[in-house]
């Protein structure tokens, strides 16, 4: 799930939406609702608006190139840890 969270736009919801669904199914309506509101408002804002501005400003690279570099680094790290 950590790898999914770095996908721009849809990555963070791929992590927290299933958790909200499970909480609703388990009858924890208040917790599910608060998590939904928090993630949609705060996490969504940070992921979709602030991260590209902060990363792009310092890196001066297109978002797609930053994503490819991040994915390549994750792939390299996973391979080097397993050997």
């Amino acid at each position: 799930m950590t790898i999914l969270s770095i996908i721009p736009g849809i990555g963070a919801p791929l992590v927290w939406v299933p958790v909200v669904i499970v909480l609703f199914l388990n009858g924890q309506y208040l917790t599910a609702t608060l998590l939904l509101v928090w993630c949609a408002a705060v996490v969504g804002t940070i992921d979709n608006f602030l991260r590209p501005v902060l990363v792009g400003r310092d890196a001066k690279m297109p978002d797609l190139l930053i994503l490819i570099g991040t994915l390549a680094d994750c792939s390299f790290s996973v391979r080097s840890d397993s050997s």
Side-chain angles (χ1 to χ4, degrees):
M1 286 204 167
T2 304
I3 304 268
L4 293 176
S5 69
I6 62 174
I7 300 171
I10 62 168
L14 287 175
V15 174
W16 59 261
V17 168
V19 175
V20 170
I21 291 171
V22 169
L23 287 171
F24 269 118
L25 293 175
N26 287 331
Q28 298 179 359
Y29 303 114
L30 179 63
T31 305
T33 303
L34 291 174
L35 181 64
L36 176 69
V37 169
W38 173 261
C39 289
V42 176
V43 175
T45 301
I46 291 171
D47 270 355
N48 295 327
F49 298 110
L50 292 180
R51 187 192 316 186
V53 169
L54 295 174
V55 171
R57 180 183 60 199
D58 292 337
K60 297 199 183 352
M61 295 170 29
D63 292 340
L64 182 60
L65 188 56
I66 293 170
L67 172 64
I68 291 170
T70 304
L71 292 175
D73 181 49
C74 290
S75 173
F76 179 73
S77 297
V78 168
R79 276 193 251 138
S80 65
D81 289 341
S82 63
S83 55

